[in-house]
Structure formats: structure tokens, C-alpha cells
Amino acid sequence: MKKRWMAALAGCLSVLMLTAAGCGGAKTQDASAYTPEKPLIIKFSHVTTADSPKGKAATRFAELMAEKTGGKVKVEVYPSSQLYGDKDEMEALQAGNVHIIAPSATKLVGFNPAFQIVDMPFLFKNHDSVIKFWDGELGKKLLGSLESKNMLGLAMWENGFKVFTANKPLAKPEDFKGLKFRTQAGKVLEAQFKALGSGAATIPFGETYTALQQGTVDGQENTWNNIDTQKYVEVQKHLLVSNHGRLDYIVLTNKKWYSELPEEFRKAFDESMAEATKYERELAVQLDKESENNLRNSGMTVVELSESEREAFVKLMEPVYSEFAETVGKEIIDGARKL
């Protein structure tokens, strides 16, 4: 009796994971089984606010899915870690408890070290090269590399390029020597600052302002928008437009669940994701530009790099490229550099 009960429960859970329609009916691939009154539910969980580019794009995706399916599909968006945080959202996706997440690319390094590509210093020369990489053959290969983990990469949603700030002028590699910078955890980032002759301290994002204010670190790296919204201008005087690394997100879905969507829903899903991706990228660029203007007008000293000055940094990073050629993948590194 107990075994039959457990088998029935397992069957119900399987249906719930694959269709998100609840227990009590057979799994179906027939879109006609759903109506606006009883739609297919898709859960989209993410950790940023609803007003962030990621949050707005998730909402836009939900709107598009409803439009394209006549209300037969309802995407429920859960921002600000309402369902799952950074630490457990991938496990929830693999288990089918949610259907879409959009973690930072660096959070995927444990599954595939090649996602450290976003941390590789001075690898992408400009915004166009970033888009060409992720939308091209190498990016698609990387997005598809998690299928064995029951996760399918759908798209890159961007946050932006990182720049350096400090309380001392930054313009050339020598200016970094002896300074200590706040950074996220990561071996590539440690190697980056080592190549610059700097110290690196792993400090949580929410504690960075205080660390800068108290002089625990001399500087940090971040996107224009993060620097602006976190008010680092109050505790940092100098900014170098280095565009040396990236902070981007990878939109993921449960592979098995996605493969068993009714064909017309999967078509609507793909179209909606493509449109939402375009929307998110435009929003992110716009937001970053607004923050750049804010910081340039804030009194902070902003230094641009000439082509030759940038090349001096690139040359200094050659040992980093060599060190991580095997881990990240020489093909991926070389491909990104060529772009």
C-alpha cells in the first residue's frame, strides 16, 4: 500500500514539474488542454528588483507570452528572491520547481568554468563584440553546455561593462600598484589584480560602500549603474573607463520541461524570449548611459583610455589569458579576442 502511495505521489510530482498544471491529470502536450481560465503556469524567479532591466524584461516576457497564446499561458514573475535566492535557484530549476531563472554568469562557473569568460580582463573590446559573442556560435555553444545538468541556456541579458574607481588617480597600469580593491569571489579576478600589482579583497556587494568609506579597500570595480545607484561617488574620487570585464546574466530554463511544451507554446516561448532579450539589452544600455552621465556630472574625475593605453593593460593581462586558457577554453578566449 505504501509503495503504491509513493509511486502515485512520484507520478503527481512528475506531472507538476513538467506541466506546472498541478496534480490529478495525465501529462499532456496538447495546447488545447489549456484555456485563459485554466492556463499553463510558468514560474520565472530572479533576484533583482522588478524595476531593474532584468525585472522589467521578465515582466515583458510574461506579457508577450500571454499575448501570443491568447492567455493560455500565464508567466508568474517572482522578483527580489521572493521564491529563491542565488544559492538555491539553480537547484530549484533543475528540480522543476521553477521554469526560468536568470543568474549572473559567474554563478554558473561551478557547472562550467568557461562562464568565467565574463571576468576575463580586457577581453571584449566594445559592446558590439559582447553581443556578437553571445549571439554567435561560441556563445550558443556555451549556453547549451548545461544541458547535461537539465538546464538550457536561452540568452544573455546584460548588465554592462565594469570600470575601476579609486581614491587615487587611475590612468595606467602602474597606478594600480600597492592599492587594494574590493572584488567578487573568483580566481580570474584575483589573477587580474595580481597582474596589476594590486591586492584584492572579497567583500559582499552590500558592504562595499562601508569598506570604501572606512578605507578597508582603496577602490572597486563595477558597472556605471551600480556605482551610481550605490552612491560610491561619495567615497570615491577617481574613475577609469576601463571596460575591462562584464556583469551579465544567463537566462536558463529546465531542459526537460521545455522540450515537452506543446509545440505552439514553445514557438511563442522562443519568440517572446527573443523580444524580451532585445528589450532588456536596450534598457540596460540606456540605464548604464544615464548613470554614466550622472557620474560625469558629479565631480568625480573620469579618465578615458586611448587605444595605446588600453593595449598596455591587455599586454599586462597576457599571463592571465595563458593561466586560464585550459579552464575557460582557448577557443573561447581567442574567439572573444578576435571579435
Side-chain angles (χ1 to χ4, degrees):
M1 182 72 180
K2 183 177 181 181
K3 287 183 178 180
R4 287 200 301 272
W5 178 82
M6 291 181 69
L9 178 60
C12 266
L13 287 174
S14 177
V15 172
L16 180 60
M17 287 165 57
L18 292 171
T19 69
C23 216
K27 182 181 66 179
T28 178
Q29 295 187 4
D30 185 0
S32 65
Y34 301 96
T35 67
E37 291 73 34
K38 292 184 178 181
L40 172 68
I41 302 298
I42 297 177
K43 294 183 179 181
F44 192 150
S45 173
H46 66 87
V47 302
T48 61
T49 66
D51 291 330
S52 66
K54 187 201 296 189
K56 289 183 177 180
T59 299
R60 182 62 183 142
F61 174 78
E63 294 169 349
L64 288 166
M65 281 296 289
E67 291 172 11
K68 293 178 185 294
T69 63
K72 290 183 179 181
V73 175
K74 180 181 180 181
V75 179
E76 296 178 348
V77 180
Y78 297 90
S80 303
S81 303
Q82 288 178 5
L83 279 185
Y84 299 99
D86 274 330
K87 293 182 179 179
D88 49 12
E89 64 178 1
M90 276 176 281
E91 184 177 332
L93 180 72
Q94 290 173 297
N97 296 327
V98 292
H99 309 97
I100 310 172
I101 61 173
S104 170
T106 55
K107 298 294 190 297
L108 302 174
V109 170
F111 295 98
N112 184 352
F115 280 101
Q116 291 177 103
I117 190 73
V118 295
D119 284 339
M120 293 297 290
F122 296 93
L123 196 62
F124 294 106
K125 199 167 186 178
N126 51 43
H127 182 260
D128 285 346
S129 66
V130 175
I131 301 302
K132 286 179 181 177
F133 174 84
W134 285 108
D135 291 352
E137 182 181 344
L138 290 174
K140 290 177 181 176
K141 182 178 179 181
L142 196 50
L143 290 174
S145 68
L146 303 177
E147 292 190 34
S148 64
K149 308 296 183 183
N150 196 29
M151 296 189 292
L152 178 65
L154 300 170
M156 180 278 287
W157 284 7
E158 63 181 292
N159 190 334
F161 273 110
K162 292 186 291 184
V163 297
F164 290 114
T165 68
N167 273 326
K168 294 182 180 180
L170 299 175
K172 50 190 183 299
E174 304 89 84
D175 297 333
F176 286 77
K177 292 187 181 300
L179 300 182
K180 182 182 284 187
F181 287 81
R182 175 269 171 186
T183 185
Q184 296 185 87
K187 293 186 180 299
V188 172
L189 298 178
E190 291 174 7
Q192 166 191 280
F193 285 110
K194 182 179 179 181
L196 289 168
S198 305
T202 302
I203 296 173
F205 181 65
E207 299 173 18
T208 301
Y209 182 97
T210 302
L212 293 167
Q213 184 181 47
Q214 296 178 349
T216 305
V217 290
D218 302 297
Q220 59 87 51
E221 57 171 12
N222 237 307
T223 61
W224 289 96
N225 185 248
N226 282 348
I227 294 168
D228 181 28
T229 56
Q230 294 298 310
K231 301 187 184 303
Y232 292 161
V233 66
E234 297 175 354
V235 289
Q236 297 276 269
K237 297 178 181 178
H238 302 275
L239 185 151
L240 177 65
V241 187
S242 50
N243 292 344
H244 60 282
R246 297 286 303 179
L247 286 179
D248 292 315
Y249 311 110
I250 304 300
V251 186
L252 300 168
T253 189
N254 179 291
K255 181 192 172 186
K256 188 174 183 181
W257 170 84
Y258 171 82
S259 68
E260 298 200 13
L261 278 174
E263 185 176 348
E264 69 177 78
F265 287 176
R266 191 161 60 248
K267 182 175 182 291
F269 186 104
D270 293 343
E271 291 175 354
S272 299
M273 183 55 63
E275 291 180 42
T277 295
K278 183 175 183 292
Y279 174 73
E280 191 280 339
R281 290 174 177 177
E282 290 173 351
L283 268 181
V285 170
Q286 177 187 334
L287 202 62
D288 225 34
K289 191 63 182 176
E290 290 174 2
S291 289
E292 178 182 345
N293 292 334
N294 290 342
L295 292 170
R296 286 183 182 275
N297 295 324
S298 69
M300 179 179 272
T301 301
V302 177
V303 175
E304 304 275 355
L305 286 177
S306 67
E307 186 63 29
S308 61
E309 289 170 335
R310 184 182 185 277
E311 282 304 312
F313 281 96
V314 172
K315 185 176 180 180
L316 198 65
M317 295 301 156
E318 289 295 344
V320 181
Y321 304 149
S322 298
E323 180 182 350
F324 291 92
E326 185 176 347
T327 306
V328 175
K330 190 174 187 302
E331 177 191 18
I332 290 178
I333 294 174
D334 289 347
R337 294 184 75 177
K338 287 177 183 177
L339 292 173

